[in-house]
């Protein structure tokens, strides 16, 4: 008998890897032809090659099943799904935070979504249909914003930080900006008002103290280098007790005496206060304009319930200056945002329509007993042998820096009997991901931020997550 060197197959032990199908034969499979029409030939070849490589390793270890064509196609299909899975995914918000910055803030109204679809193709973004010549994208929402707020002129940029930066750069480049120390806030992503002012080319002058700033403090701060007075709504926190701040009306009067413009950054931008009875006082857009602020800035994706955008309202002369500023090119808004913003604003022509059609407003206004009713009706679909699901009262948050500290009576599910942290991760790994919160050793799903019609899906996702954990 002949002896063979180690690791070399003998005549009686043919290498089973030779039985693997070729790339060409796999490409001729009917299912693979369907993949090519969807994904393209090169990604399909990458996936098949990965499946073949994995099979060769498996066969070399004695796994004969890896040779089957069906097994190879299953492996290639999994590779394709990973390659083409988008990083931006739809999630189900069960946190109870309505304007959740990490989850995209305000969900859009159906009308806004439809408007974005229209804008996907060619549009009159910068074309004047009446004149047959060049138009401006900045005209599309301007008149509507003026109609709804009483402003003389309007401009839309890509977010509120851009709106503030543009105003500071235009009015106070190489000059001073006066801000109360109590309004030097940090906004999302660790960006701070002092940094925004500095990067906009101005020098910050702090006046007053953290909790008390008087008109006399502003008056002392005004000098020959003052470019503007900036009043900032302190989003995300609230000062209580021994506090004092200067109303925008008084700052406008002071600014006019000194020949200094006043910019009021509202942050959230409450367009229709009558729709949110029972909530704490929040600066409204129209009152700030009526007080005489030269420019008013606010966000589109907070209390308005629209897309991310920065809205600037003010006098015709001030807005004209901003429109001529070179930085506007960097801050300009895209056609999809304009379409969604216009569709959202059109709903506000009738506040009652806005209340029912804008999802963020509907969530803010829904009575707690109605939320409880939705959670209760969906409960049978969440039955599980391994976990206990109960309808319990909870407290929702507005989020997005709006109405800081205010809690809203709500209702949702308390899930116990399984490890809360593990269940949170399992729900987060679902398709679509279900995002809840862990408190007091249990997993909670607040139904205020569950869209009507999603209740059954929430129950299904929860049961699947529990089953994956317990093997139920």
């Amino acid at each position: 008998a002949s002896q063979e060197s180690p690791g070399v197959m003998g005549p009686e032990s043919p290498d089973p890897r030779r039985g693997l199908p070729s790339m060409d034969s796999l490409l001729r499979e009917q299912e693979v032809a369907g993949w090519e029409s969807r994904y393209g030939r090169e990604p399909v070849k990458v996936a098949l090659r990965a499946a073949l490589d994995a099979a060769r390793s498996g066969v070399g270890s004695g796994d004969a099943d890896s040779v089957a064509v069906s097994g190879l196609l299953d492996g290639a299909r999994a590779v394709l799904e990973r390659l083409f899975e988008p990083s931006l995914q739809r999630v189900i918000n069960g946190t109870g935070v309505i304007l959740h910055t990490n989850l995209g803030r305000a969900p859009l109204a159906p009308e806004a979504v439809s408007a974005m679809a229209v804008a996907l193709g060619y549009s009159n973004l910068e074309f004047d249909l009446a004149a047959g010549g060049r138009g401006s994208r900045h005209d599309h929402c301007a008149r509507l914003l003026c109609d709804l707020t009483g402003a003389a002129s309007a401009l839309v940029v890509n977010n509120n930080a851009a709106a503030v930066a543009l105003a500071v750069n235009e009015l106070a480049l190489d000059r001073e900006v006066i801000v109360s120390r109590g309004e030097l806030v940090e906004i999302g992503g660790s960006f701070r008002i002092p940094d925004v002012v500095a990067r906009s080319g101005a020098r910050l002058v702090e006046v007053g103290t953290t909790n008390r700033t008087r008109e006399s403090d502003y008056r002392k701060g005004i000098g020959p280098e003052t470019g503007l007075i900036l009043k900032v709504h302190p989003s995300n926190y609230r000062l209580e007790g021994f506090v004092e701040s200067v109303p925008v009306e008084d700052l406008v009067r002071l600014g006019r005496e000194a020949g200094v413009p006043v910019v009021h950054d509202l942050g959230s931008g409450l367009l229709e206060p009558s729709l949110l009875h029972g909530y704490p006082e929040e600066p409204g857009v129209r009152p700030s304009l009526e007080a005489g602020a030269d420019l008013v800035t606010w966000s589109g994706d907070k209390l308005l319930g629209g897309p991310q955008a920065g809205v600037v309202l003010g006098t015709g002369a001030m807005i004209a200056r901003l429109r001529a500023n070179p930085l506007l090119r960097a801050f300009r808004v895209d056609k999809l945002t304009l379409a969604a913003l216009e569709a959202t604003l059109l709903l506000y022509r009738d506040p009652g329509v806005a209340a029912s059609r804008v999802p963020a407003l509907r969530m803010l206004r829904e009575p707690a007993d109605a939320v409880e009713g939705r959670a209760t009706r969906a409960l049978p679909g969440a039955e599980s042998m391994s976990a206990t699901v109960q309808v319990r009262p909870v407290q929702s948050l507005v989020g997005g820096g709006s109405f800081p500290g205010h809690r809203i009576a709500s209702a949702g599910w308390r899930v116990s009997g399984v490890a809360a942290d593990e269940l949170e991760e399992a729900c987060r790994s679902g398709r679509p991901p279900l995002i809840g919160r862990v408190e007091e050793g249990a997993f909670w799903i607040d139904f205020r931020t569950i869209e009507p019609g999603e209740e059954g899906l929430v129950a299904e996702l929860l049961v699947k997550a529990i089953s994956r954990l317990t093997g139920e």
Side-chain angles (χ1 to χ4, degrees), residues 12 51 56 111 136 159 172 220 227 255 267 295 354 384 395 409 415 470:
E12 67 280 357
R56 288 189 185 96
E111 290 80 359
S136 172
N159 60 37
K220 291 176 184 176
L295 291 174
S384 168
Q395 290 188 320
V415 187
T470 63

Side-chain angles (χ1 to χ4, degrees), residues 161-248:
V164 173
L166 184 63
V168 170
N169 180 266
E170 176 59 35
L171 302 178
L173 180 63
D174 294 328
R175 303 187 72 190
E176 296 175 346
V177 176
I178 298 178
V179 185
S180 167
R181 285 189 173 88
E183 297 173 1
L184 295 176
V185 298
E186 179 176 301
I187 55 180
S190 300
F191 293 99
R192 299 175 175 180
I193 286 294
D195 298 333
V196 172
V197 170
R199 290 290 182 172
S200 302
R203 300 186 301 275
L204 180 69
V205 174
E206 303 175 19
V207 297
T209 62
T210 302
N211 60 320
R212 303 197 83 183
T213 301
R214 302 178 178 86
E215 182 179 334
S216 58
D217 295 314
Y218 285 97
R219 191 178 296 277
K220 291 176 184 176
I222 294 176
E225 292 297 307
T226 303
L228 70 87
I229 297 172
L230 176 62
K231 184 171 180 61
V232 181
H233 176 53
S235 302
N236 295 317
Y237 82 101
R238 181 185 297 263
L239 287 174
E240 297 180 352
F242 193 60
V243 297
E244 183 177 352
S245 62
V246 182
V248 65

Side-chain angles (χ1 to χ4, degrees), residues 96-177:
V97 182
I98 297 167
L99 302 175
H100 200 306
T101 299
N102 296 350
L103 302 184
R105 287 193 181 158
L108 295 178
E111 290 80 359
V113 175
S114 298
M116 291 175 72
V118 171
L120 288 174
Y122 291 119
S123 67
N124 61 326
L125 177 65
E126 293 189 353
F127 185 73
D128 188 328
L129 292 172
R134 180 70 180 264
S136 172
R137 71 180 62 210
H138 303 300
D139 293 338
H140 287 288
C141 290
R143 179 169 296 180
L144 182 53
L145 281 164
C146 292
D147 289 346
L148 292 172
T149 64
S153 190
L155 177 67
V156 179
V157 292
N158 54 20
N159 60 37
N160 192 44
V164 173
L166 184 63
V168 170
N169 180 266
E170 176 59 35
L171 302 178
L173 180 63
D174 294 328
R175 303 187 72 190
E176 296 175 346
V177 176

Side-chain angles (χ1 to χ4, degrees), residues 13 19 69 106 108 116 129-130 132 139 220 229 238 253 275 292 300 305 329 335 337 346 365 380 385 397 446 454 468:
S13 305
V69 171
L108 295 178
M116 291 175 72
L129 292 172
D139 293 338
K220 291 176 184 176
I229 297 172
R238 181 185 297 263
R253 176 177 47 77
L275 296 178
R329 178 76 178 187
K335 61 181 180 180
T337 300
L346 284 170
R365 290 167 52 88
M385 293 183 295
L397 295 172
D446 188 333
E454 286 184 341
R468 288 198 300 272

